[in-house]
Amino acid sequence: MFNMVVFGPPGCGKGTQAARIVENHGFLHVSTGDILRRQIASGNAMGELLEKFTSRGLLVPDQIILKEIWRFALRHQYEKGIIFDGFPRNLYQAQMLDRIFYKKEMRINLVVSIDVDEDELIRRVLERGKTSGRTDDNAEVMHNRLLVYVGQTRPVIDYYRRKKRLVEISGNRPVDEVAASIDLAIVHKMQA
Ligand code: ADP
């Protein structure tokens, strides 16, 4: 099994690139943001609670996310591979992912970090906001999401760098070029 994380700030293109990897390699894609948005759309009490966090650009509590990830990983442990998108988003989540995977003799083989200039991130998210219907794709909430990214999420890069699983690529390029770089990293890691 080959498991990977597509990592980066809001608007860096994680979802777009994950879809490309699915096409090329047949891995499963799990986006914690999509899971949360589905729960919110269902309109139950849990959804209402989650919306209080996502609409402000804050991380939802770790235990809620970890339960979803654990459930997903167990259900799909015999697949070819999983692409995690939007997770892990802080050091605790990264450590817990390694711990729960270890128990199942699974591991994260590769973390691809996509770096994009802040001006470009804001431009993309505001553009997406015109059609996405997402309550967090506006200037004010994006500002918070970037603060959360820098304060809580970006430190995860060092965690994976130390574990020698990190590949950093520039996302300030056309989608196809970014996809080609990611593909190279995957093939390289698979052969290692
Ligand atoms: P983006 O990467 O563009 O910010 P996502 O769809 O990945 O968008 O996430 C949207 C929101 O969902 C986040 O701002 C956060 O509130 C919540 N969220 C997603 N993944 C996680 C996670 N792993 N831990 C905590 N909250 C999360």
Side-chain angles (χ1 to χ4, degrees):
M1 191 175 190
F2 189 91
N3 297 302
M4 61 182 291
V5 175
V6 180
F7 189 91
C12 75
K14 295 187 292 284
T16 305
Q17 294 301 332
R20 293 296 189 94
I21 304 168
V22 171
E23 269 176 41
N24 290 340
H25 297 279
F27 300 154
L28 289 179
H29 171 209
V30 59
S31 155
T32 43
D34 286 348
I35 291 175
L36 296 172
R37 280 185 287 277
R38 277 198 296 274
Q39 292 193 356
I40 292 167
S42 75
N44 57 21
M46 182 58 151
E48 275 175 33
L49 174 74
L50 295 173
E51 212 256 342
K52 291 197 183 358
F53 295 93
T54 62
S55 65
R56 292 178 171 88
L58 302 172
L59 298 186
V60 310
D62 292 327
Q63 295 312 325
I64 296 176
I65 292 290
L66 286 165
K67 200 180 85 196
E68 295 292 339
I69 290 293
W70 181 226
R71 197 189 291 169
F72 187 91
L74 275 186
R75 200 184 319 141
H76 298 295
Q77 57 184 311
Y78 302 113
E79 296 281 342
K80 203 173 158 199
I82 300 175
I83 310 159
F84 294 93
D85 160 6
F87 176 89
R89 234 175 171 95
N90 59 29
L91 271 178
Y92 179 74
Q93 292 182 6
Q95 287 163 349
M96 289 306 287
L97 178 62
D98 276 345
R99 195 177 299 175
I100 59 185
F101 262 31
Y102 184 76
K103 284 190 202 153
K104 284 276 147 200
E105 294 180 23
M106 292 164 81
R107 72 187 305 265
I108 295 294
N109 301 82
L110 173 67
V111 177
V112 176
S113 171
I114 307 173
D115 195 34
V116 174
D117 296 339
E118 191 168 307
D119 293 353
E120 174 66 9
L121 294 172
I122 294 170
R123 196 192 64 73
R124 288 186 195 175
V125 166
L126 296 188
E127 187 59 33
R128 182 171 72 187
K130 291 177 186 167
T131 53
S132 68
R134 280 176 55 166
T135 53
D136 59 349
D137 281 348
N138 58 65
E140 199 190 331
V141 181
M142 179 59 177
H143 178 75
N144 287 343
R145 287 157 71 193
L146 287 171
L147 287 178
V148 168
Y149 177 75
V150 171
Q152 301 184 48
T153 309
R154 203 165 58 187
V156 172
I157 292 180
D158 289 325
Y159 176 83
Y160 287 118
R161 186 181 289 123
R162 279 199 302 276
K163 295 193 177 269
K164 309 218 180 307
R165 296 184 229 164
L166 182 75
V167 172
E168 289 175 284
I169 63 161
S170 164
N172 296 301
R173 296 178 296 156
V175 171
D176 284 346
E177 279 183 34
V178 177
S181 296
I182 295 179
D183 212 53
L184 211 62
I186 294 172
V187 171
H188 190 254
K189 204 55 165 184
M190 278 177 155
Q191 288 166 352

